[in-house]
Amino acid sequence: MKKKIKWTLSVLFSSIIALILFIFIQDLTYDKSKTDTEMKEQKKALVLTWEANNQRDFWHNYERDLHPVIKALHHEQQISQVFPFEHKPLSYKDSAKRWTNCIVLMLPDEPYNTETHSSLISSIEKSALCEGFRSLDLMKIQQGLDMFYPVKDGIKREPKLNQTIEYLFSKPEAREQYYEDQHRFSGPAMRDLHRQDKAGRFIGFELEERLFASANVPQWDVIHIIGFTTWQEIKAAPFFYGAWNKHAERAFGEGMTFKKKVAEWNKIRTNIKSSAKQHFPVTLRK
């Protein structure tokens, strides 16, 4: 019995050591010369939000009243991808208006056709979704934050992502520098983790224009959608801060760390976030 216990402990210990070595070797692949900071054309999206008191009813109404319209726009290539989410009720400061659902409609590369959002608003106003409709924003992808799917087995692993959605409210006078920090620091750091399959999704959106909002709905200026599989979280956890600290020094100079930079950001922004559940029956892809 003692020999069996010793053998089991020995195997367990060896497995743990092998896992640690595997993760450590992967972390050594960091190469700052491979970070992507090149400016690229920014893709755009329409982002719609609602407050739903009953998620079952909301998705029933969405599938009946709005999904056929969006599916037709997708078929006509006016929309390229659709990412529908639900999350806990969120609010900002003293605003009485909350929101619980976010639908991201990625747009094609060609110039934006305003008839798209006009068609959506018209359909919503005629449907049961009119009640609780909060906002419709035209947003653009933040530079370098366009990681939609895991680098390995992409779409197949999308349902396994544990996702978080962040709504960020930054001070207008600090936005230019904050966005530049995101481009120089957050983008390359997340791309590094994504390339090593330690992150599955990171999409950042900057507000370009608010097209519609009901009264007293707060206006965020950045939205982040972040996703990790459980295995990616295990791989990333031991070296998460290490990777971010390397990129902080690369972007801002010796002595800068991830925690220091976040502390700076927290003085100029408010981050309202929640875990998010993707509604796959109405998810659409290219």
Side-chain angles (χ1 to χ4, degrees), residues 44-62:
K44 296 185 179 183
L46 291 173
V47 179
L48 303 93
T49 61
W50 279 267
E51 180 182 7
N53 295 320
N54 183 301
Q55 289 293 341
R56 184 175 180 178
D57 289 347
F58 173 82
W59 290 115
H60 172 76
N61 292 332
Y62 178 88

Side-chain angles (χ1 to χ4, degrees), residues 45-48 50 59 62 70 79-86 101-107 141 147-149 155 158 161 163 165 201 203 205 225 277-280 282-286:
L46 291 173
V47 179
L48 303 93
W50 279 267
W59 290 115
Y62 178 88
I70 291 176
I79 291 172
S80 61
Q81 298 188 84
V82 179
F83 299 95
F85 297 99
E86 64 181 73
N101 292 73
C102 178
I103 314 292
V104 177
L105 311 178
M106 292 304 304
L107 300 172
I141 294 284
M147 293 151 277
F148 285 83
Y149 302 102
I155 291 174
E158 185 184 21
L161 294 175
Q163 300 192 70
I165 188 164
R201 166 169 289 163
I203 316 170
F205 299 95
I225 300 171
K277 178 183 177 182
Q278 186 169 342
H279 198 66
F280 285 100
V282 288
T283 295
L284 297 175
R285 306 185 181 87
K286 292 181 180 179

